[in-house]
Amino acid sequence: MSRQTENFFKEFHEYAAEKGAETEEELQQLLKEFVTQYNASLPVAVTEENAQTADDYLELAENAKSKKQALKYAQMALEAEPDNIDAAVTVTEMTAKTPDELYENLCGLIVRAKERMTEEGWFDEENIGSFWQILETRPYMRLLNKYAQTTKELGMLRLTVATCEEMLRLCENDNLGIRYSLMHLYTFLEEEAPAIALMEKYEKEESTQFLLPLSILYFKLGNKEKSEQYLQQLKAVNKDTVAFFKAISKGNLDTNPNEINAYGYRPNTIEEFIVETHENIYLFISSAGYFDWALRKLTSRKKKQS
């Protein structure tokens, strides 16, 4: 969901709360009224001259032509709304001189954001598990996601695991796909029990980004029979499995995800393997032995069948 769409629903929630609606029909009528008013009030485009809210300035920052200009708009967003988490994260990310400085600053943002949100009631039990469905708590999820990415880049993998687990607790539907990152982390750390628990939580999901790390995990644990079981499941699910392993073996896999469709990768194709490799390179560079073994298993079985 884009920032503009989020703003629309945020303003509609405020409008509906002010007007009040007791039935679904009344709510639908309020939505029609709001859409008419909202469309009539929309400017042709957000500019520095007509920008008023933090979201306006953040939109300008996203579309800025230079880092200096983007930082200027992000700082203006933070001045307009000092408690705006997205603005704070943007400014922090753009001004940190080192990854460690970014980590330290994000730690402070998380503490302050959680304290404020707890006071406002967002961490009440009724909201836990639905943080992405609630527009007001989405910025906090984005903050945790940036923190998880930063700790992973710094090699603080236990902290990354704890953050990912917290994100799944706050958002059970996992709209950000955190479970995939977590499965690769469990594999790297050779944590079998939480890896299996994660798979069970998502109803034994058979996806490329679950099956490949699980196969690697059991190879690392010395259980080659189970490793091959997941490998063959992967081959059945993703038609490009053999091509991927051959590309890895020859060292000619294109791991640039920027060339993939702007709307996202196609699941269970070579595109998903490319994205997976790019996002979890720390695991794959330490698993060369597995890839040699797996390719032999895939090609030898294919020869036997032919």
Side-chain angles (χ1 to χ4, degrees):
M1 185 183 293
S2 66
R3 188 177 301 281
Q4 183 178 3
T5 305
E6 284 192 17
N7 291 341
F8 171 85
F9 282 111
K10 185 190 299 183
E11 292 182 27
F12 174 65
H13 287 165
E14 294 173 356
Y15 180 83
E18 179 183 343
K19 296 292 184 178
E22 297 181 359
T23 66
E24 181 66 24
E25 290 75 14
E26 292 177 349
L27 186 61
Q28 290 298 323
Q29 183 58 39
L30 283 179
L31 179 58
K32 290 179 182 179
E33 294 174 5
F34 178 76
V35 169
T36 301
Q37 296 178 29
Y38 184 84
N39 289 337
S41 64
L42 280 177
V44 175
V46 176
T47 65
E48 186 171 343
E49 288 70 30
N50 63 29
Q52 296 179 345
T53 68
D55 288 326
D56 290 340
Y57 289 116
L58 286 174
E59 183 176 336
L60 291 173
E62 289 176 357
N63 298 320
K65 296 181 179 179
S66 67
K67 181 177 178 180
K68 181 178 180 181
Q69 190 178 47
L71 177 58
K72 168 190 169 184
Y73 288 133
Q75 290 172 330
M76 292 174 75
L78 197 55
E79 290 174 7
E81 296 180 26
D83 290 332
N84 189 291
I85 295 174
D86 287 327
V89 171
T90 302
V91 171
T92 297
E93 188 173 13
M94 296 186 72
T95 56
K97 294 181 176 60
T98 64
D100 184 62
E101 182 180 345
L102 175 60
Y103 161 75
E104 294 291 345
N105 291 340
L106 289 173
C107 286
L109 286 181
I110 290 173
V111 171
R112 293 192 295 275
K114 188 170 184 179
E115 287 178 352
R116 177 176 57 79
M117 292 173 63
T118 299
E119 292 176 359
E120 294 173 354
W122 294 115
F123 277 90
D124 291 352
E125 190 61 34
E126 62 187 23
N127 298 322
I128 302 301
S130 303
F131 263 42
W132 194 255
Q133 284 69 42
I134 303 171
L135 293 177
E136 290 82 357
T137 51
R138 280 192 184 188
Y140 184 72
M141 293 296 292
R142 287 192 282 264
L143 168 57
L144 290 184
N145 196 33
K146 175 56 63 177
Y147 176 79
Q149 292 171 0
T150 302
T151 54
K152 185 166 70 171
E153 290 170 3
L154 286 169
M156 301 174 171
L157 299 187
R158 293 291 180 184
L159 286 178
T160 311
V161 166
T163 305
C164 290
E165 290 174 341
E166 171 67 358
M167 292 180 74
L168 292 185
R169 184 182 77 89
L170 296 175
C171 179
E172 294 176 353
N173 287 340
D174 188 28
N175 303 79
L176 294 174
I178 298 303
R179 62 188 181 278
Y180 302 122
S181 296
L182 192 52
M183 184 62 81
H184 289 80
L185 287 161
Y186 286 149
T187 294
F188 184 83
L189 297 170
E190 300 184 17
E191 297 281 1
E192 179 184 11
I196 296 304
L198 183 64
M199 183 177 67
E200 296 288 344
K201 179 176 181 178
Y202 291 97
E203 300 178 348
K204 297 183 178 180
E205 176 182 328
E206 291 192 351
S207 65
T208 297
Q209 297 194 64
F210 262 23
L211 295 174
L212 178 55
L214 282 169
S215 180
I216 297 174
L217 171 63
Y218 281 104
F219 179 86
K220 287 161 67 74
L221 294 175
N223 190 338
K224 293 185 178 179
E225 181 180 351
K226 208 159 190 176
S227 177
E228 187 174 1
Q229 288 176 6
Y230 282 115
L231 178 63
Q232 296 304 330
Q233 281 183 257
L234 174 64
K235 181 182 176 182
V237 166
N238 193 317
K239 64 182 181 63
D240 293 328
T241 295
V242 175
F244 165 70
F245 277 88
K246 286 182 176 179
I248 286 287
S249 175
K250 295 177 181 178
N252 60 5
L253 178 71
D254 182 3
T255 57
N256 182 6
N258 295 324
E259 297 180 1
I260 294 175
N261 191 305
Y263 294 101
Y265 61 81
R266 291 175 296 163
N268 297 321
T269 67
I270 194 71
E271 292 181 356
E272 184 166 9
F273 279 125
I274 291 173
V275 170
E276 182 178 8
T277 303
H278 177 78
E279 293 181 350
N280 303 283
I281 190 66
Y282 67 94
L283 171 61
F284 295 122
I285 61 176
S286 67
S287 304
Y290 164 80
F291 284 101
D292 290 340
W293 169 84
L295 181 59
R296 289 197 300 273
K297 287 294 179 180
L298 289 169
T299 53
S300 63
R301 178 176 286 251
K302 187 175 181 180
K303 290 177 182 178
K304 289 179 182 178
Q305 290 175 346
S306 61

